[in-house]
Amino acid sequence: MIFRLALLSVLLHCALPYSTFRAKIPNGEYVPHPCKPFNTWEGVGHFMDVGTGLRNNFGADFNAAGNQWTSALCKKDSDGDGLTNGQELGDPDCIWKPNTLPTRTTGLSHPGICDPWDSLSCQQKALTHPVYNTQSEWLEDTCKSDEFMCAAKHEAGMRNITLRHPPGTKIPPQETSYLCQVIDLEKILPPGDYHMTAVEPIVDNGYALHHMVLFGCEDDQPETTELFECGLVANNKCQEFLSVWTVGVTGDCYDPKTGIRLLGTSGFKKLAFQVHWSNPDKRTDWEDTSGLILYYTSIRRSYDAGIFLVGSNSFLLPPKQDAVSVKSTCTSGCTQNLFTGHVSVTVAWNHMHFTGIKMNIQVFRKGSFLTALTNDTVFNYDKPDMHRYTNNPVVLMPGDEIVTTCTYSTARRNHSTVRGQGATDEMCFGFLFYYPKQNVKSELCLSGGPDISLCDPQAGAKYGCPQMFDFTDPDIVAGSCLYHDLVKNCKKFSPCLDECVQFLVQEKANNPCLRGELYEFIQVDMLMTHHAGHEMMAMMASCETEVFKKMMQLTMSQMTTTQAHGMNDDNVNYNSAPFNGVMLVSRVAVLTTALRVAAFLF
């Protein structure tokens, strides 16, 4: 199937979202919204009326019933208002079957919302939700208008263009899909020098749509007429974030003093539009025509705007944990390297997935706490908080440190959770809208593994490995003495040679780059980036067990010697070689499977 992006100057009709479960309950498509007249509650089992995110009480009961309309579920009063679920949904006698007409199709009410919803007793109903303690708090938030409010939309001379997938666009039958398309603005906008002042989402299939992103591209990026698979960014030439929509966000309205530069001598001439679909049931009948409306004007603002991305790009969350935190530091070395002058932050917001429970972004200057850009003590994926500083922008300076802390609860998960692109994976990102764009050389400041900032030239030196970034260059790796010594002494994966064990034990004891968390980071980075790194890791993996045993022997020998001389263990540095090597070698096993899978890629 060929996907094409429709370029329209007007809003097209939005089709109703597809629902997996509405057909499995009586009148599932006609449950009224309690506080938005003439609207239905599309996801009856969810706190979000569009049908995504956490389940409400009825959703929890429906799930416990195997996602089927049973007699027991029908007779239950999920919201505690004195009416059974069947009475509220038009099946008072609990006789309804799928694909049949319910006993009653009028006088319906929501089985997960206590009615009368605005009565004192119902408002005080306690809820089990990370953000809302009572029904009053829930509906106060839910009953707010979904309209995108932005004064710039109505300014004289404001124009707009719509980027949208055409009717009939199929969602791939796979759990997670990232698809992108590159648009040539010079072909669809009249010649000029513009500022984009706002971006408004068009959400069609809200059940599948996870997020939409607009990227700025380099001028030499070719236009594409079809969707192509992409990742966190569209590609290496299209990775500047211009606008991000996710569930609960009504749109991007840039600071009145700023805009995203389009066309002219310094504006973006190519844009990449990305959509992330989540299709856990791998349905083949789902379609989506979601898109973005871009508002732009020739009356330019005072400053060009940008989005600065902070957070962690590599972490692993263990299961069954009430709270586990991930810390990411955009170091002073990074901001000194990336900022050419001060930048003013006008908006900041957090992004995690479903296990995220709290998150903050803090700024430190010269080692002292300066301010918090965000502080979501209770994070709500469905309704992310936009921290706005329109009247008093937060000024960041070269040398400032930006620390992002994400906290998750995996108590209900029986498996580990990885940092990944799927909806059930996790993320830890902060989006900082700022100006002037010209004062930032690169808009990504992400850390990996043990909080190592990729943009800090001194990151490796802190671990005794100033040449850390050499490992990311395939030519340097392939020409290094380490690589050639590995070729001389070791075989890929197997067999394990005695000379390989001797060489690796000696090398790990003497080379800080091959020890501890830093080495773990280097391994992953090389596996992800180039062939020479994969070859090197494959040779080292051939003797991982034997090297581990040898390092353990050395460790036990040193401990025995220490005890024989009557030394206290508290005086022994177990972070030095060979003790550190024991921790290191044990981690190598984690990558063995990945190495063998990666072997098929080269």
Side-chain angles (χ1 to χ4, degrees):
M1 179 68 184
I2 296 177
F3 301 98
R4 299 184 185 278
L5 190 63
L7 301 175
L8 309 175
S9 58
V10 295
L11 240 164
L12 295 179
H13 171 71
C14 294
L16 285 175
Y18 290 87
S19 169
T20 304
F21 299 126
R22 282 192 291 180
K24 294 187 176 183
I25 61 175
N27 291 304
E29 296 189 3
Y30 306 103
V31 177
H33 199 295
C35 50
K36 294 181 180 178
F38 312 111
N39 280 265
T40 59
W41 196 287
E42 296 175 1
V44 182
H46 295 267
F47 282 100
M48 286 283 286
D49 51 9
V50 296
T52 186
L54 299 174
R55 300 185 185 98
N56 57 36
N57 288 344
F58 174 74
D61 290 341
F62 180 66
N63 179 254
N67 297 327
Q68 301 292 330
W69 184 251
T70 65
S71 177
L73 177 64
C74 176
K75 295 175 181 177
K76 192 166 187 176
D77 179 12
S78 294
D79 54 21
D81 60 4
L83 296 175
T84 68
N85 296 329
Q87 289 174 315
E88 301 211 52
L89 291 175
D91 182 27
D93 301 319
C94 301
I95 59 175
W96 178 82
K97 301 295 181 185
N99 301 315
T100 65
L101 190 67
T103 301
R104 174 166 45 85
T105 58
T106 60
L108 307 176
S109 57
H110 196 304
I113 297 177
C114 175
D115 280 314
W117 66 272
D118 53 355
S119 66
L120 182 61
S121 59
C122 283
Q123 286 182 338
Q124 294 176 343
K125 271 294 181 192
L127 300 177
T128 302
H129 190 277
V131 176
Y132 312 123
N133 296 313
T134 64
Q135 178 169 294
S136 174
E137 294 176 2
W138 170 26
L139 293 184
E140 180 182 355
D141 198 11
T142 303
C143 292
K144 292 178 181 176
S145 172
D146 295 328
E147 183 181 357
F148 175 49
M149 307 297 291
C150 183
K153 291 170 49 178
H154 310 292
E155 291 180 5
M158 189 64 62
R159 308 176 187 182
N160 70 76
I161 188 166
T162 299
L163 311 180
R164 190 173 187 182
H165 299 296
T169 298
K170 290 287 188 180
I171 296 174
Q174 56 193 42
E175 290 189 13
T176 297
S177 300
Y178 276 71
L179 295 173
C180 294
Q181 185 167 346
V182 178
I183 302 100
D184 188 343
L185 291 179
E186 292 182 308
K187 293 183 179 180
I188 59 176
L189 298 185
D193 193 350
Y194 304 107
H195 261 153
M196 182 172 68
T197 60
V199 179
E200 182 175 1
I202 306 168
V203 179
D204 174 23
N205 189 339
Y207 293 95
L209 190 63
H210 184 276
H211 75 240
M212 295 182 288
V213 181
L214 191 68
F215 295 100
C217 303
E218 297 176 11
D219 290 350
D220 60 350
Q221 166 63 47
E223 179 185 22
T224 63
T225 58
E226 301 176 6
L227 289 174
F228 60 89
E229 292 188 3
C230 50
L232 177 63
V233 296
N235 57 38
N236 289 336
K237 291 182 178 291
C238 300
Q239 55 180 330
E240 288 200 41
F241 287 83
L242 304 183
S243 177
V244 180
W245 174 87
T246 188
V247 176
V249 175
T250 59
D252 281 332
C253 185
Y254 300 108
D255 185 277
K257 300 183 292 296
T258 73
I260 301 293
R261 200 67 168 266
L262 303 179
L263 298 184
T265 57
S266 59
F268 291 105
K269 298 174 179 57
K270 307 283 180 59
L271 300 179
F273 172 58
Q274 179 193 77
V275 62
H276 172 195
W277 285 310
S278 181
N279 186 1
D281 295 328
K282 302 180 180 179
R283 295 182 55 153
T284 59
D285 60 336
W286 267 7
E287 299 178 353
D288 187 31
T289 62
S290 296
L292 299 171
I293 307 173
L294 316 185
Y295 294 88
Y296 66 99
T297 178
S298 58
I299 305 173
R300 297 194 304 277
R301 280 25 183 172
S302 300
Y303 302 99
D304 292 341
I307 300 179
F308 192 67
L309 184 64
V310 296
S312 178
N313 203 35
S314 177
F315 58 87
L316 180 68
L317 305 176
K320 299 296 183 181
Q321 301 294 310
D322 290 332
V324 56
S325 295
V326 172
K327 179 182 175 183
S328 172
T329 306
C330 180
T331 65
S332 58
C334 278
T335 59
Q336 192 72 49
N337 184 43
L338 298 179
F339 294 176
T340 60
H342 75 275
V343 298
S344 298
V345 177
T346 58
V347 177
W349 61 282
N350 299 325
H351 181 66
M352 299 184 288
H353 288 175
F354 297 119
T355 66
I357 56 175
K358 62 182 180 179
M359 179 174 172
N360 63 64
I361 304 173
Q362 298 179 323
V363 180
F364 294 83
R365 182 167 295 164
K366 296 180 180 179
S368 298
F369 174 77
L370 180 67
T371 189
L373 292 171
T374 68
N375 186 25
D376 295 346
T377 55
V378 179
F379 175 80
N380 186 354
Y381 168 79
D382 297 331
K383 290 278 188 179
D385 287 331
M386 295 290 175
H387 303 266
R388 299 187 181 275
Y389 305 99
T390 301
N391 298 323
N392 190 23
V394 177
V395 177
L396 303 180
M397 301 293 293
D400 284 351
E401 188 173 78
I402 307 170
V403 180
T404 304
T405 304
C406 298
T407 303
Y408 310 86
S409 175
T410 60
R412 296 184 178 181
R413 293 198 172 184
N414 296 318
H415 55 83
S416 297
T417 302
V418 299
R419 203 300 297 176
Q421 299 176 34
T424 57
D425 299 330
E426 266 304 342
M427 289 188 174
C428 176
F429 292 134
F431 295 94
L432 311 181
F433 290 66
Y434 74 94
Y435 69 88
K437 176 178 170 55
Q438 290 78 5
N439 284 1
V440 177
K441 293 188 290 185
S442 174
E443 295 180 310
L444 296 177
C445 192
L446 305 176
S447 69
D451 197 14
I452 298 175
S453 296
L454 306 181
C455 50
D456 188 347
Q458 301 301 315
K462 299 173 183 177
Y463 292 83
C465 178
Q467 70 273 31
M468 181 188 79
F469 288 101
D470 288 351
F471 287 91
T472 66
D473 188 316
D475 293 330
I476 293 178
V477 169
S480 67
C481 293
L482 174 59
Y483 184 87
H484 288 285
D485 286 339
L486 280 168
V487 172
K488 178 181 177 180
N489 293 288
C490 304
K491 301 293 183 182
K492 288 189 293 184
F493 295 119
S494 63
C496 176
L497 307 179
D498 289 343
E499 54 268 36
C500 184
V501 176
Q502 296 174 13
F503 169 72
L504 287 175
V505 169
Q506 185 68 27
E507 191 68 23
K508 291 176 185 294
N510 296 327
N511 190 344
C513 300
L514 302 184
R515 296 203 298 265
E517 291 182 323
L518 179 64
Y519 178 54
E520 180 182 354
F521 167 76
I522 289 173
Q523 290 180 98
V524 174
D525 188 73
M526 288 196 296
L527 278 173
M528 293 171 59
T529 54
H530 58 79
H531 178 78
H534 170 261
E535 293 283 301
M536 176 184 273
M537 293 299 100
M539 289 184 283
M540 299 181 78
S542 67
C543 291
E544 61 183 33
T545 302
E546 291 77 6
V547 171
F548 175 75
K549 290 179 179 179
K550 187 66 175 178
M551 298 296 281
M552 282 294 293
Q553 291 174 2
L554 292 173
T555 300
M556 296 304 296
S557 177
Q558 185 166 343
M559 292 176 65
T560 301
T561 302
T562 299
Q563 294 172 356
H565 287 81
M567 292 175 62
N568 190 309
D569 282 351
D570 293 338
N571 297 322
V572 181
N573 180 11
Y574 288 99
N575 290 319
S576 64
F579 297 108
N580 199 294
V582 174
M583 178 179 67
L584 152 70
V585 180
S586 65
R587 286 196 171 98
V588 176
V590 177
L591 294 173
T592 303
T593 302
L595 277 162
R596 288 171 178 159
V597 171
F600 291 102
L601 302 177
F602 298 97

